[in-house]
Amino acid sequence: MTTVTQQSIAWTGFTPGPWQDAIDVRDFIQRNYTPYEGDASFLAGPTEKSLRLWDHLEKNYLSVERARRIYDVDTDTPSDIDAFPAGYISADDDVIVGLQTDVPLKRAMMPNGGWRMVRQALTEAGKEVNPDVEKIFTRHRKTHNDAVFDIYTPRIRAARSSHIITGLPDSYGRGRIIGDYRRVALYGVDRLIADKEAAKHAIGDQGFSEHWARAREEHAEQIKALKKLKTMAAQYGFDISGPATTAQEAVQWTYFGYLGSIKSQDGAAMSIGRLSPFLDAYFERDLAAGLIDEVDAQEIMDALVIKLRIVRFLRTEDYDQIFSGDPYWATWSDAGFSEDGRPQVTKTSFRLLQTLRNLGPAPEPNITIFWDPELPAGYKEFCSAISIETSSVQYESDKQIRGRWGDDAAIACCVSPMKVGKQMQFFGARVNAAKSLLYAINGGRDEVSGAQITRSGDHTPVEGGGPLDFDEVWGKYELMLDWVIGTYVEALNIIHYCHDKYAYESLEMALHDSEIVRTMGCGIAGLSIVADSLSAIKYAKVTPVRDETGLVVDYVTEGEFPRYGNDDDRADDIAATVVHTVMEKIRQVPMYRDAIPTQSVLTITSNVVYGKATGSFPSGHQAGTPFSPGANPENGADTHGMVASMLSVGKLDYNDALDGISLTNTITPSGLGRTKDEQVTNLVGVLDAGFIMNDEN
């Protein structure tokens, strides 16, 4: 057990406060982090050790993986926090240690989510299935996927197979849960176990109810997971029962918390949270004491990022198509402001961005900057320079996030904000809002297959061969959305009920408060297509084209109509109305575990898959072609430039899309200016202008 003496040693030099008596990482950060308002001149380049390690990875593992998609898979060991012996990249791998399995890039099976997907992924990787493991997970141990499909109704199955609801997490980990991995470093695991035991005892003997029984069982599972975490760290020679005593230990302990989570869950997004101001408190303390120098600090950060870059999950080829590759969104949120007005930019914020220079560009970790025009100038300029050099930085509105979720929020996946350690999300994929419009016109028949997906008679198609009437189409669209949203949320409730029962994230939830906020992360795809198509029906002349069965399969659109993404209120208001209407319908449906419903306008990766399953539109969007990503205007429709598209997106009400709104823009460096200095200055100006305008809307 951790002693008072061990804690006092670990916390020497830190400003005391309530964080010492209760689990409160935010209070520790606020009392101990040091804002940095300088420039990037203090930074160090990569050490020889870091370069040797990265070069070894590239030559022996990454290049092999690229050539054959999957480097290797362990086919004998279902993954768990402590299932594998210690593994290392090479002899140089001694700064921040820990692999998901015993070999870099070797993937692990996680069959609790579903054996079918594991078997398919193994076959696609050219691996033999272990019959003993298969027997366990097909005969003796029910999986999440089995349970979901046992409960699914014919209505849900029809909507799923027709792709009007796509990407449901019914056969893979749900993700969108950010464990507060900082707690492992600040308190040590023994303190966290004691806190969970006290919380379990506080539940008491209230007499049986489902809520009471589940609370006690989940706390028990969390305690077991924390004990496994200690065992896993011990395999690497570390005792994490007590708090970290140095900056290197703080990074290592924090990473162990994250590593335990990715060993035991394969969520679609496994974000790491908001670490820089927390870790910076340790770096500043050790730098002041002369225990490390800047070269050491950067080497530690480079070593951590190397580990985050080689996270791998066993996925099927179909999964890779949905997400346009093999992402895992180890999102690292940074910067922004504290509620007292101090910027949360630290030297470690710079060190994180510096890894993109030291190690080269990479999509992981998904570095996400909480931007505000009032951030320190030196940091804004460095963000801009790194963005231009690497195209590896994402930006979110700090004012919007902080105003709704506080100053210790982080992004799960791409755009979904939540309070770290105090909130989790039931992830829900997307409703194909564009395809729903075509269903409304066709009375619930699928425009690709011709099949009647909704119950015959519940929805009637648009009659006649003349131009479409906006009011008639909108009325049918609202009725169709009632069916789609009801089916969608019912599926989500089933999925998350089964996930809690058969694939519970015990370690991630152990790194949360015992009482948390739960949100249900819903979302829509195809917003720009809906907006432009409804605009065409309202402002131009749209005549449906039917096949021999009467199914509308195409449209003839005559005349001009305003398009979303050009700062034209006529089209932009339609888009905002669609987002609001969908959200209002979501709010009417009861949520599992009383989750708070939220919505995102996202699809930054799955827009290709959605487009393949969808027909032609009045807007001119052709069947089978990709949707534009997220809240972007339709491809090629934004004719008034990037600022106009930002203004259009800014008209979407954040209250209707609290799970996040994504706008993806592409700018070539030469388009920002002739010199590097001009480019940096102009990109800062574009970001400032865009966030000022959108935060005011």
Side-chain angles (χ1 to χ4, degrees), residues 64 96 172 223 357 470:
V64 176
I96 299 299
Y172 59 89
I223 292 166
R357 281 181 171 167
F470 177 83

Side-chain angles (χ1 to χ4, degrees), residues 144-406:
H144 162 250
N145 183 243
D146 291 334
V148 167
F149 280 86
D150 280 349
I151 301 174
Y152 268 176
T153 63
R155 176 163 53 101
I156 295 173
R157 287 174 178 263
R160 185 182 186 276
S161 61
S162 69
H163 304 289
I164 197 166
I165 301 173
T166 306
L168 291 170
D170 50 20
S171 55
Y172 59 89
R174 56 189 170 192
R176 303 288 185 92
I177 301 175
I178 308 174
D180 190 355
Y181 307 112
R182 307 166 301 185
R183 296 184 181 193
V184 180
L186 184 57
Y187 297 107
V189 175
D190 283 351
R191 172 75 179 274
L192 301 180
I193 291 173
D195 183 71
K196 288 298 179 181
E197 287 175 337
K200 182 183 178 183
H201 292 314
I203 296 168
D205 186 1
Q206 304 171 1
F208 183 83
S209 70
E210 184 177 353
H211 173 78
W212 171 84
R214 177 165 53 191
R216 290 187 63 82
E217 183 181 23
E218 287 184 350
H219 277 80
E221 290 299 311
Q222 292 171 21
I223 292 166
K224 291 174 187 176
L226 288 168
K227 291 178 178 177
K228 288 181 180 180
L229 184 62
K230 287 176 61 176
T231 301
M232 183 266 285
Q235 293 169 340
Y236 287 93
F238 290 93
D239 179 3
I240 62 173
S241 58
T245 60
T246 66
Q248 186 168 358
E249 284 189 355
V251 175
Q252 181 69 72
W253 270 224
T254 300
Y255 173 63
F256 274 146
Y258 181 73
L259 180 61
S261 294
I262 60 175
K263 281 175 173 281
S264 54
Q265 287 291 329
D266 62 345
M270 297 295 287
S271 301
I272 198 167
R274 193 169 186 169
L275 303 183
S276 292
F278 173 76
L279 295 177
D280 195 75
Y282 287 87
F283 280 124
E284 285 296 302
R285 187 183 66 169
D286 284 8
L287 285 163
L291 299 177
I292 59 172
D293 59 20
E294 186 55 41
V295 172
D296 297 321
Q298 189 63 54
E299 183 179 64
I300 293 169
M301 288 295 294
D302 288 348
L304 173 61
V305 166
I306 286 173
K307 291 299 189 299
L308 298 181
R309 289 187 178 189
I310 60 172
V311 172
R312 296 292 187 272
F313 295 108
L314 182 61
R315 308 294 201 193
T316 64
E317 292 175 3
D318 285 344
Y319 179 98
D320 289 355
Q321 286 185 357
I322 291 174
F323 293 102
S324 300
D326 189 17
Y328 43 94
W329 288 289
T331 303
W332 183 315
S333 304
D334 213 334
F337 280 86
S338 293
E339 291 175 2
D340 62 8
R342 292 178 298 158
Q344 285 200 38
V345 173
T346 65
K347 286 187 174 181
T348 298
S349 303
F350 281 80
R351 294 177 186 121
L352 175 65
L353 293 171
Q354 179 73 352
T355 66
L356 292 167
R357 281 181 171 167
N358 288 355
L359 305 173
E364 304 287 358
N366 178 24
I367 298 174
T368 300
I369 306 302
F370 288 0
W371 189 270
D372 187 292
E374 299 303 317
L375 286 173
Y379 181 69
K380 294 200 298 181
E381 291 169 1
F382 192 55
C383 287
S384 176
I386 294 295
S387 292
I388 291 167
E389 292 173 21
T390 69
S391 298
S392 298
V393 185
Q394 174 178 289
Y395 297 93
E396 303 270 356
S397 167
D398 179 62
K399 183 176 290 185
Q400 295 281 16
I401 292 170
R402 177 165 37 88
R404 177 67 63 166
W405 310 107

